[in-house]
Amino acid sequence: MINRHIYKTTSYDRKKGSLNKDDYLYMRDLLETVLQQLQESDLDNDKEIDQLKQFFIKLDHHIDRMRA
């Protein structure tokens, strides 16, 4: 006997799992903290710092294009 109601969803909201502008700004703030920690570290993190700075450029461009 198969239970047909196991996979039935009552309502589905597409926006529930999507990120909004505030989420991206929060992520950017967290990444700034990580960048500061990398820059203050005694380890050789030049490659990671460069990659993170390039990511900031892309993220800022994406955030600027979003609606509020």
Side-chain angles (χ1 to χ4, degrees):
M1 195 185 259
I2 297 174
N3 189 350
R4 287 187 253 164
H5 301 289
I6 290 177
Y7 300 107
K8 184 177 180 182
T9 58
T10 56
S11 65
Y12 178 72
D13 183 6
R14 290 193 102 124
K15 293 184 179 185
K16 187 177 259 186
S18 63
L19 298 171
N20 59 30
K21 188 172 184 175
D22 290 336
D23 295 329
Y24 282 106
L25 291 172
Y26 176 69
M27 287 191 308
R28 191 184 191 299
D29 290 341
L30 291 176
L31 288 172
E32 280 184 12
T33 303
V34 172
L35 178 61
Q36 288 174 352
Q37 291 173 351
L38 284 173
Q39 289 172 334
E40 294 171 358
S41 173
D42 293 334
L43 302 173
D44 183 22
N45 295 320
D46 292 340
K47 183 178 178 182
E48 288 82 7
I49 291 171
D50 287 341
Q51 288 177 336
L52 193 52
K53 286 181 178 180
Q54 290 173 2
F55 181 73
F56 274 125
I57 294 169
K58 294 175 186 177
L59 185 59
D60 285 341
H61 179 71
H62 182 75
I63 292 171
D64 289 341
R65 292 178 37 204
M66 293 184 76
R67 290 181 235 143

